[in-house]
Amino acid sequence: MKSSFYNTPGKHSGLLAWVLSTDHKRIGLLYLSCMTVFFLTGMTLGLLMRLELIAPGRTLMAASTYNALFTLHGVIMIFLFIIPGIPAALGNFMLPLQIGAQDVSFPRLNLLSWWFYITGAAVAITSLFTGGGAPDTGWTFYVPYSIRTGTNVSLAVFGVFLMGISSTLTGLNFVTTIHRLRAPGMSWFRMPLFVWSIYATGWVQLLATPVIAITLLMLMAERFFGVGFFDPAKGGDPILFEHLFWIYSHPAVYIMILPAMGAVSEIIPVFARRTIFGYKAIAFSSLGIALFGYLVWGHHMFTSGMSDEARMIFSLLTFLVAVPSGIKVFNWVASMYKGSIRLDTPFLYVMAFIFLFSIGGLTGLVQGALATNVHVHGTYFIVAHFHYVMFGGTAFAFFASLHYWFPKMSGRMYHEGRARVAALVLFVGFNTLYFPMFILGWQGMPRRYYDYLPQYQTGHVIATIGSWVLATGILLMVYNLLRSLKDGEKAGDNPWGGTTLEWKTTSPPPAENFEKIPEVTTGPYNYK
Amino acid sequence: MNDIAQTASPHKDYAGSKLGMWLFLFTEILLFGGLFLVYSVYRSMYPQDFHAAAAGLSVVLGTVNTVILLTSSLTMALSISALRRGNSRRSVLLQSATIVLGLVFLVNKYFEWSGHIHEGLYPNAPELLTRSHGEILFYGLYYVMTGLHGIHVVVGLVLIGIMLTLTMRQRITGADYVKLENAGLYWHLVDLIWIYLFPLFYLIT
C-alpha cells in the first residue's frame, strides 16, 4: 500500500506538514527527533563532566562551569528526554495503533502539547545564555540556594513549568483515549500491556505534575517578589520546598519507568513466542506502582530533617513499592520459560534491561533502609543507583522498543549485525561507567563534587573510560538506525510475528491507521 | 460498520470531551492543592499570627465577591439549560451576565488589593517585614492564592467570551453545546476554589 502517512501531509507541506500536523504518528516522530537531539546534547555534557573528573583538581574547566554542566545534564536528561521519553514519542505513535483507533481523543491538544514541550525546551536552553548565566543549582532547584543564586534560575524554572503543562496534557489525552477509543471487542483485559502502562503513567502525569507546576510558580514568586514561603528569615520553611518538589518528582520516576516496563512486556512475548505470564498481575502492578509511587517521596529526604515516625513510614512504603516491581520482573522471566527465544536486538536490550533494572532496584532498597541511607545519602552510590534505573532501565527499554517498532515506524529494517554490536558495546560501557560509582559512593565520594581525594581516582578513571565506551555504543546505534532509514531492507508489515494490533496494518501505517478498524476477539499475546 | 467512510468525518465524542475536561479540572484542583497544603502547614505553625492578620481583611468585600461569583455560576448554569431548550437568545444574555459579574468581581478585587498595597502590606514591603512571621506568610499566601485565582477568573472570562461569540454565530447550538458545558464546568471550578479561599482568608479569624 503506497499511501503511508508520510505521503499524506494534510493541509500544509514541508516542515509545516510536521509541526502543524495533528496526526499522532507525526507528533510522535516530532518528539522522537527532538529527544534524540537533546539526548545527544545531554550525553555530551556528561562526557565533559566525566573528562573533568578523570583526575583530581582542575583538568578541563572551572568549578562554576562544572556546576552549570551537571545542572544542565540533569535538566536536559530528565525534563527534555526521559519524562516525555517513551510515552510522548513511542506512546504517541503506538497507543492509537495498539487499541485500534485512528488517532488520540484530542489531536489538536496533542499538537499543543508538543508546542508546549518545544517552547519549554527553548526557554530552558535560552536560560543558559542570558541573564546571570547558566543555572547552577542542580536539577532539583533546592532552596535557599535557588532563590539566592544570581544565575538564570527563573527562566529555566519557567521552561520546566511549560514542559510540565505538556506532560499533563499528554497524560490527559492518553487516559481519555484509552477510555473512549478502543476498537470494538477490545475490553480492558484485552489491551496490550504497553497500553496499560501508558494508562497508569497518564494518571501519574495528571495527578503529580500540577504539584511541581505550583511549586515552581512559588519558587518564581519567591525570586521575583520575595514572598517568603521558603525563606526562614520571613518564617518560611526550606524543607517544605523539598517536600513539594518530591511529591511530584518521586511519582515522576514512575512516569519514566512505567512505560519502559510496558514496552518490555510487549517485546518478551513476541521474541519468546509465548503468551505473557501473569497478564493481570502485570497490568495491576502498573496501577500498584502508580498508587504507591505517590506515598514514598519522603525517602529522598531522610537526612533533611524529619521525625523518626515519618521516616519509618516512608521507609516501609518504599519497601512496599518494590513488591509490584518484583512481580513484573518475575513474570517477565517466567514468560520466557519454555519459549522459542529469538535473540534479536530488541530482546538483547530487554535482557540488559532486566539485569540492569534489577541491580538498580535492589540498590534502591539499600537506600530505602534508614540505617544504610545515612551512610550512602548524597554520595556516588545514589548517582549509580538512579543511572542504573533510569538509564539502564528506562533508556535501555527505550532502545529496545525503538528497534522493535523501527520497522513499523519507518517501513524498513535496521542492520541487525551493527545493532547487536552496538547493544553489546552499550552494555559493557554502561557497566564500566556506572558500576564503579557504587563502590566510590560506598567509600564516601559525594555526588556533584568538582574535586576529590586521590584515593578515589582509580574508580573515577575507570568510570571515565566507561563513558567513552558507552558513547561509542550510542553513536553506533544512532548511526545504524539513521542509515537504515535510507538503505535498510523493506521490512514488511509484520517482521517479528507480533500479534498486537499495530502489526495488523501496513508499515508505515496509512494516515488513518487502518483500512478497516479491526474487531478484537482475543487477548493481545496470542501465542501458545 | 466501522469502515473509514463513516468514522473519518470529524467525530463528536461528547462523553470523551467531558471526561477530558473533568481530568483537566482534577489537575487544576491539584495545582491549587499545593497552595492549600502550604497554607495549612503555615497556619498550624503560626495560628496566632494568622488570626491577627485575617482581621485586616474586609469581610464585607469578601462576602460581596462571594455572592457575585456564586450568582455568576448560576447564570452560567442557566445559560446552558436555556440553550438546551433551544433558546439561544436567552443563553447569550445569560452568558453576557456571567461575564459582567466576573468583571465586577475583578474590579472589587482590584480595589481590595490596592487598599492593602496602600497600607504597605505586600510581599517584601518594609511595613510588612516589621510584622510577625505568620503575618508575612499570611499576606504572601493571600496574594499568591487570590492572584492565581484571579488569573483563573480572567481565563474563564476569555473562555466564556469565546463561547458567547460561538453561540451568536450558531456554532454552539442546542444540539451541540459540549463546548459551552465544558466552559461552564471550568467556571464552576473557579467558583469552587473561591468558596474555599473565602473562609480560609476572611472568615476564620
Side-chain angles (χ1 to χ4, degrees):
Chain A
M1 171 148 165
K2 285 279 156 277
S3 65
S4 87
F5 72 97
Y6 292 104
N7 306 325
T8 322
K11 275 186 285 188
H12 309 275
S13 60
L15 187 64
L16 287 183
W18 288 88
V19 298
L20 293 179
S21 170
T22 54
D23 184 344
H24 67 100
K25 299 180 286 299
R26 284 178 181 251
I27 295 174
L29 292 178
L30 276 180
Y31 275 112
L32 187 58
S33 45
C34 298
M35 269 185 295
T36 308
V37 174
F38 293 137
F39 178 76
L40 292 176
T41 315
M43 181 186 87
T44 312
L45 298 174
L47 279 174
L48 289 172
M49 279 156 64
R50 279 318 319 167
L51 198 55
E52 167 59 42
L53 290 170
I54 198 166
R58 184 187 166 121
T59 321
L60 193 67
M61 60 187 84
S64 56
T65 316
Y66 181 81
N67 291 348
L69 280 194
F70 76 65
T71 305
L72 287 182
H73 174 77
V75 168
I76 289 180
M77 285 305 201
I78 294 200
F79 295 112
L80 276 69
F81 171 67
I82 210 161
I83 286 184
I86 295 180
L90 300 169
N92 242 322
F93 200 108
M94 290 302 160
L95 171 68
L97 287 168
Q98 284 203 320
I99 60 173
Q102 292 178 352
D103 207 317
V104 292
S105 269
F106 310 112
R108 278 186 294 178
L109 189 70
N110 201 15
L111 179 64
L112 183 70
S113 305
W114 181 78
W115 276 100
F116 268 121
Y117 165 72
I118 201 70
T119 313
V123 168
I125 287 164
T126 312
S127 76
L128 311 181
F129 308 107
T130 54
D136 57 351
T137 58
W139 76 277
T140 48
F141 302 115
Y142 271 11
V143 297
Y145 184 65
S146 60
I147 296 174
R148 297 199 181 142
T149 177
T151 54
N152 211 350
V153 171
S154 307
L155 203 59
V157 160
F158 184 61
V160 173
F161 175 77
L162 292 176
M163 287 183 263
I165 297 179
S166 157
S167 176
T168 314
L169 294 179
T170 304
L172 186 157
N173 216 337
F174 287 175
V175 168
T176 314
T177 306
I178 294 169
H179 271 280
R180 299 297 306 166
L181 298 185
R182 282 171 287 132
M186 178 165 284
S187 59
W188 284 88
F189 292 112
R190 284 180 189 163
M191 294 197 313
L193 286 163
F194 183 64
V195 178
W196 268 105
S197 74
I198 293 279
Y199 183 70
T201 310
W203 275 106
V204 183
Q205 285 173 303
L206 277 170
L207 299 181
T209 319
V211 181
I212 192 80
I214 195 67
T215 310
L216 297 176
L217 285 181
M218 280 190 258
L219 181 57
M220 280 155 71
E222 206 73 344
R223 280 179 68 87
F224 288 127
F225 306 113
V227 177
F229 291 155
F230 307 125
D231 184 357
K234 294 172 184 166
D237 184 359
I239 301 288
L240 191 56
F241 177 87
E242 291 187 29
H243 277 290
L244 287 165
F245 181 83
W246 288 111
I247 287 176
Y248 163 74
S249 296
H250 195 78
V253 170
Y254 300 109
I255 296 178
M256 307 173 202
I257 195 72
L258 276 172
M261 294 169 155
V264 168
S265 313
E266 288 302 301
I267 293 170
I268 287 177
V270 175
F271 289 86
R273 287 286 180 268
R274 291 284 288 170
T275 186
I276 194 89
F277 185 83
Y279 171 91
K280 283 192 181 174
I282 295 181
F284 283 125
S285 62
S286 288
L287 297 181
I289 290 175
L291 181 72
F292 277 118
Y294 276 99
L295 309 173
V296 300
W297 78 86
H299 69 214
H300 294 267
M301 305 166 57
F302 282 157
T303 59
S304 300
M306 232 197 298
S307 72
D308 280 345
E309 288 85 354
R311 295 200 304 159
M312 279 188 270
I313 292 167
F314 277 127
S315 177
L316 175 69
L317 288 167
T318 304
F319 277 87
L320 288 183
V321 88
V323 174
S325 314
I327 289 176
K328 283 184 190 284
V329 172
F330 287 122
N331 279 315
W332 290 328
V333 177
S335 302
M336 298 179 205
Y337 181 64
K338 286 191 174 171
S340 325
I341 292 174
R342 288 173 58 184
L343 285 176
D344 292 315
T345 313
F347 196 79
L348 291 180
Y349 277 113
V350 161
M351 287 207 299
F353 167 93
I354 294 178
F355 180 77
L356 301 174
F357 177 75
S358 300
I359 294 180
L362 291 171
T363 52
L365 294 180
V366 173
Q367 291 157 105
L370 292 173
T372 38
N373 181 282
V374 175
H375 181 67
V376 296
H377 200 103
T379 66
Y380 265 51
F381 194 86
I382 169 93
V383 180
H385 158 72
F386 68 69
H387 279 94
Y388 264 83
V389 187
M390 293 294 109
F391 192 166
T394 306
F396 270 67
F398 190 83
F399 300 154
S401 33
L402 208 53
H403 286 85
Y404 175 57
W405 281 316
F406 184 85
K408 181 52 64 183
M409 295 192 287
S410 68
R412 290 178 188 274
M413 202 48 144
Y414 57 82
H415 189 287
E416 183 68 36
R418 276 198 300 259
R420 284 185 198 190
V421 173
L424 186 72
V425 175
L426 256 166
F427 183 75
V428 172
F430 179 91
N431 284 296
T432 321
L433 167 55
Y434 294 113
F435 199 81
M437 293 190 185
F438 280 126
I439 300 162
L440 283 172
W442 198 258
Q443 291 169 338
M445 172 76 209
R447 71 190 284 201
R448 292 179 169 171
Y449 273 33
Y450 167 71
D451 199 2
Y452 53 84
L453 297 170
Q455 67 254 36
Y456 297 126
Q457 194 175 359
T458 318
H460 276 296
V461 170
I462 296 173
T464 303
I465 293 171
S467 73
W468 300 334
V469 180
L470 182 61
T472 313
I474 289 172
L475 291 178
L476 183 59
M477 181 192 76
V478 173
Y479 164 78
N480 183 32
L481 291 180
L482 287 181
R483 192 172 153 186
S484 304
L485 277 183
K486 269 210 327 232
D487 60 8
E489 288 173 37
K490 286 263 183 285
D493 291 348
N494 190 1
W496 309 121
T499 54
T500 39
L501 290 184
E502 78 269 32
W503 302 109
K504 300 224 160 47
T505 184
T506 48
S507 301
E512 301 280 358
N513 288 351
F514 298 94
E515 289 208 57
K516 199 179 170 88
I517 295 289
E519 193 105 12
V520 183
T521 50
T522 57
Y525 311 110
N526 213 359
Y527 301 104
K528 56 186 175 182
Chain B
M1 56 182 243
N2 268 301
D3 56 357
I4 304 291
Q6 265 183 3
T7 41
S9 61
H11 68 277
K12 301 265 183 193
D13 180 8
Y14 286 165
S17 302
K18 284 178 83 172
L19 177 63
M21 192 63 201
W22 277 105
L23 292 175
F24 177 71
L25 297 183
F26 282 159
T27 69
E28 287 280 12
I29 286 173
L30 279 158
L31 185 79
F32 278 93
L35 286 169
F36 282 114
L37 185 72
V38 174
Y39 177 96
S40 50
V41 168
Y42 290 138
R43 176 156 201 115
S44 67
M45 273 168 81
Y46 307 102
Q48 283 303 316
D49 293 349
F50 269 53
H51 178 76
L57 298 189
S58 159
V59 181
V60 177
L61 267 180
T63 313
V64 169
N65 257 352
T66 308
V67 172
I68 289 171
L69 214 53
L70 281 175
T71 316
S72 77
S73 247
L74 177 69
T75 53
M76 189 71 212
L78 288 178
S79 81
I80 296 168
S81 53
L83 195 66
R84 251 186 184 152
R85 291 178 192 172
N87 197 336
S88 172
R89 226 175 70 86
R90 182 179 294 166
S91 177
V92 166
L93 264 169
L94 285 162
Q95 287 179 47
S96 314
T98 312
I99 294 178
V100 171
L101 287 168
L103 288 173
V104 173
F105 175 89
L106 286 177
V107 171
N108 263 348
K109 205 80 224 150
Y110 167 78
F111 283 117
E112 204 183 351
W113 271 37
S114 40
H116 293 304
I117 291 171
H118 193 67
E119 292 167 37
L121 297 176
Y122 54 90
N124 233 5
E127 162 65 22
L128 186 61
L129 291 183
T130 62
R131 305 274 185 105
S132 63
H133 281 168
E135 288 196 57
I136 297 175
L137 290 170
F138 180 89
Y139 277 100
L141 283 163
Y142 167 75
Y143 281 106
V144 171
M145 291 178 89
T146 58
L148 189 63
H149 178 260
I151 293 174
H152 279 76
V153 173
V154 173
V155 172
L157 289 178
V158 171
L159 219 65
I160 300 172
I162 296 171
M163 296 307 132
L164 186 68
T165 334
L166 290 178
T167 317
M168 289 197 297
R169 289 187 188 163
Q170 301 290 323
R171 297 266 304 277
I172 295 178
T173 61
D176 178 9
Y177 56 90
V178 71
K179 283 199 184 86
L180 183 66
E181 219 173 356
N182 280 343
L185 282 175
Y186 183 83
W187 191 249
H188 297 320
L189 173 94
V190 170
D191 201 15
L192 176 82
I193 287 167
W194 179 256
I195 287 186
Y196 283 89
L197 292 180
F198 175 55
L200 286 180
F201 284 106
Y202 296 83
L203 294 186
I204 317 178
T205 55

